[in-house]
Amino acid sequence: MNNDLTENQKMIADMVRDFGEREIRPNLMKWDEEQFFPVDTMKKMGELGLLGVLVPEKYKGAGFGYNEYYTAVSEVSRICGSIGLSVAAHNSLCTGHILSFANEEQKQRWLPKLATGEWIGAWGLTESNTGSDALRMKTTAVKDGNEWVLNGAKNWITHGISGDVAVVLARSGDLLDSRGISAFVVERGTKGFQAGKKENKLGMRASETAEMIFEDCRIPEENVLGEIGDGFIQAMKVLDGGRISIAALSLGIAKGAYDAALKYSKEREQFGQSISNFQAIAFKIADMATEIEAAELLTLQAAHLKNNGKEVTKQSAMAKYYASEVCVRAATEAVQVFGGYGYTKDFPVEKFYRDSKLCTIGEGTSEIQKLVISRKILN
C-alpha cells in the first residue's frame, strides 16, 4: 500500500484548503455560536464535486475512490469539524446508501441531484430509544396497495430539517428480526414527512442535527431500496464505509488542533523562551504527531481495502475507534498547550475540543467499535 498522496489527492487538498479559507474560516465561529447550518456553502461544495466524491461521473459525481474521499473530508474538518461532519454524512450515508443499493432508475433519479449539491441528503436509522440497538426500532412501514405507510420518528439525524431527501430505515417485519427492516427513500415535501426538534449540542453546532417525523407518510413502492427486509443488512454495510469517513473527520479535527498547538508553542514565550523548548510541551507535541500518523495509517489501510472491494468491517471499525480517540486526546492536549487562552473562544482549539467528542459517539460509539473488532477477531 502506497501512502504517498496521489496527484488527485493533492489537487483535492489544495482545492479544499483554498475554498475553506475563503468560505468557511471567516464564518465558522459565527455559525457555531448561532447553530447555523450553511446550506448555501454546502451547495457551493457540491459544485466543486465534494458532495459526490464517490459517485461515478455518469451520475454527475467526481468518480473518485476512498483515498480521495478521505482527503476531502479530513481537509474540510481540519478547518471546521461541523462542515466536515455534514460532508461525511451526505456522502457516506444518504448518497452512499443509494449508490450501493439503488437500481439504475433510482440512481438516475436521485444521485445527480445529491452529487452536485442541488439536494442535501439525510439518513435515518437512529431513534430516541434505539441507538446501537437498532433492531428494536419503532418506526414502522406497512404495505397498503402499491404504497408503504411510514409511522414513527428518527432522532439525531444530520440534515433532519434541511435535507431534501432521506434514506429511512423502518420496520417492515417482526421486532428483532434482522430481515424485518427495509430502506425507503423519502423526498422532502412528501405528505406526512416533517422535521422535528433541532438538537442544541456541545459541539458540531453548525452541522444540523434534528428529528424526522413520519405520520401516515405514504411512500410509493418504487422508492424501496433493494429488497424488502434487506434494510438492516444494507445499513450495516453502509456504516462500514461511513466509519472510514468518521475516521477521516477525526483526523482532520486532530490535525487542526495539532497545527494550532504547534504554531502556538513556537510563538508563546515563558521564562525568556518559547514554550516548545520545554520538555513538557515538546512531549505533548510528539505524542500528538505520533498518534495522528498511526491513526492515519489505519484509516488509509481501511480505505485501500474498501477501494479494492475487500472485507473492511474490522479495519474500518479499528480506524474509526482509534482515530476518534486520538482526536479527543489531541484536542485536549491542544487546549492544555494553550493554557488559559485555550479555554477562550479567541483561539481555535476550544472549538476543536468541543467538536472532537462527537467522533467517539457518532456512527457507533467507541464501545460498539470494540465489540465489532472483538467479534471479528474471536469468531
Side-chain angles (χ1 to χ4, degrees), residues 1 29 41 44 47 108 123 125 138 145 171 178 209 211 230 245 270 272 288 294 302 322 330 335 343 348:
M1 184 176 70
M29 289 309 297
T41 302
K44 289 179 183 177
E47 293 170 6
Q108 293 284 356
W123 193 73
L125 175 66
K138 294 181 179 178
R171 185 157 53 82
S178 63
T209 306
E211 285 181 307
D230 283 353
S245 73
Q270 290 287 274
M288 292 164 71
Y322 188 68
V335 171
Y343 206 65

Side-chain angles (χ1 to χ4, degrees), residues 258 284-294:
Y258 169 79
K284 289 183 185 298
I285 299 296
D287 283 341
M288 292 164 71
T290 302
E291 290 193 341
I292 287 170
E293 284 214 19

Side-chain angles (χ1 to χ4, degrees), residues 23 106 129 180 233:
E23 301 285 346
Q106 291 171 326
N129 293 315
I233 292 90

Side-chain angles (χ1 to χ4, degrees), residues 118-129:
E118 180 183 346
W119 279 10
I120 303 297
W123 193 73
L125 175 66
T126 305
E127 299 181 2
S128 59
N129 293 315

Side-chain angles (χ1 to χ4, degrees), residues 19-327:
F19 178 85
E21 292 300 326
R22 285 186 292 106
E23 301 285 346
I24 299 174
R25 194 179 297 281
N27 301 301
L28 62 86
M29 289 309 297
K30 183 174 186 292
W31 293 341
D32 183 81
E33 293 286 341
E34 296 177 0
Q35 294 201 85
F36 174 75
F37 174 52
V39 174
D40 288 345
T41 302
M42 285 286 289
K43 290 184 179 296
K44 289 179 183 177
M45 296 175 83
E47 293 170 6
L48 295 176
L50 295 172
L51 298 189
V53 181
L54 301 169
V55 176
E57 292 181 43
K58 70 175 182 176
Y59 305 119
K60 298 189 177 180
F64 289 132
Y66 269 80
N67 286 349
E68 292 84 1
Y69 180 42
Y70 160 79
T71 300
V73 173
S74 62
E75 289 297 336
V76 172
S77 307
R78 202 167 185 162
I79 298 172
C80 179
S82 292
I83 306 304
L85 174 62
S86 279
V87 170
H90 174 96
N91 274 283
S92 286
L93 300 181
C94 180
T95 305
H97 198 141
I98 292 170
L99 180 61
S100 296
F101 297 105
N103 60 38
E104 184 60 26
E105 186 277 329
Q106 291 171 326
K107 288 178 181 179
Q108 293 284 356
R109 185 173 158 197
W110 292 307
L111 285 179
K113 292 180 179 179
L114 288 163
T116 59
E118 180 183 346
W119 279 10
I120 303 297
W123 193 73
L125 175 66
T126 305
E127 299 181 2
S128 59
N129 293 315
T130 58
S132 303
D133 190 12
L135 287 179
R136 295 183 190 272
M137 68 172 58
K138 294 181 179 178
T139 299
T140 58
V142 177
K143 186 76 180 292
D144 183 17
N146 61 353
E147 295 180 319
W148 286 85
V149 183
L150 270 59
N151 279 286
K154 297 293 178 178
N155 292 67
W156 309 107
I157 307 304
T158 304
H159 312 146
I161 296 171
S162 298
D164 299 284
V165 63
V167 175
V168 180
L169 286 302
R171 185 157 53 82
S172 54
D174 294 333
L175 190 69
L176 300 180
D177 181 3
S178 63
R179 292 283 180 180
I181 292 172
S182 300
F184 304 85
V185 177
V186 188
E187 297 181 12
R188 187 70 64 182
T190 302
K191 187 177 180 181
F193 174 31
Q194 61 182 329
K197 174 191 174 187
K198 180 179 178 179
E199 301 297 340
N200 184 6
K201 300 175 297 182
L202 167 72
M204 303 290 196
R205 290 167 61 84
S207 180
E208 177 186 277
T209 306
E211 285 181 307
M212 295 192 302
I213 299 170
F214 305 91
E215 295 179 348
D216 293 328
C217 181
R218 290 185 169 270
I219 308 301
E221 199 162 22
E222 57 264 29
N223 282 29
V224 175
L225 289 178
E227 299 297 323
I228 290 296
D230 283 353
F232 182 77
I233 292 90
Q234 292 175 11
M236 295 304 102
K237 291 179 180 177
V238 168
L239 288 173
D240 275 349
R243 285 167 182 150
I244 297 173
S245 73
I246 300 301
L249 169 69
S250 302
L251 277 161
I253 294 171
K255 288 180 179 180
Y258 169 79
D259 292 342
L262 179 62
K263 182 174 183 289
Y264 184 80
S265 73
K266 293 177 178 179
E267 295 173 347
R268 172 71 166 170
E269 290 191 359
Q270 290 287 274
F271 305 103
Q273 58 186 310
S274 69
I275 63 172
S276 62
N277 289 335
F278 298 113
Q279 193 176 74
I281 300 299
F283 279 13
K284 289 183 185 298
I285 299 296
D287 283 341
M288 292 164 71
T290 302
E291 290 193 341
I292 287 170
E293 284 214 19
E296 189 161 38
L297 287 170
L298 273 174
T299 305
L300 289 172
Q301 180 193 40
H304 176 74
L305 292 172
K306 185 71 174 173
N307 277 338
N308 287 279
K310 295 183 179 178
E311 169 67 37
V312 75
T313 302
K314 183 181 76 172
Q315 281 77 12
S316 66
M318 284 179 168
K320 194 272 185 190
Y321 164 54
Y322 188 68
S324 64
E325 295 290 340
V326 165
C327 176

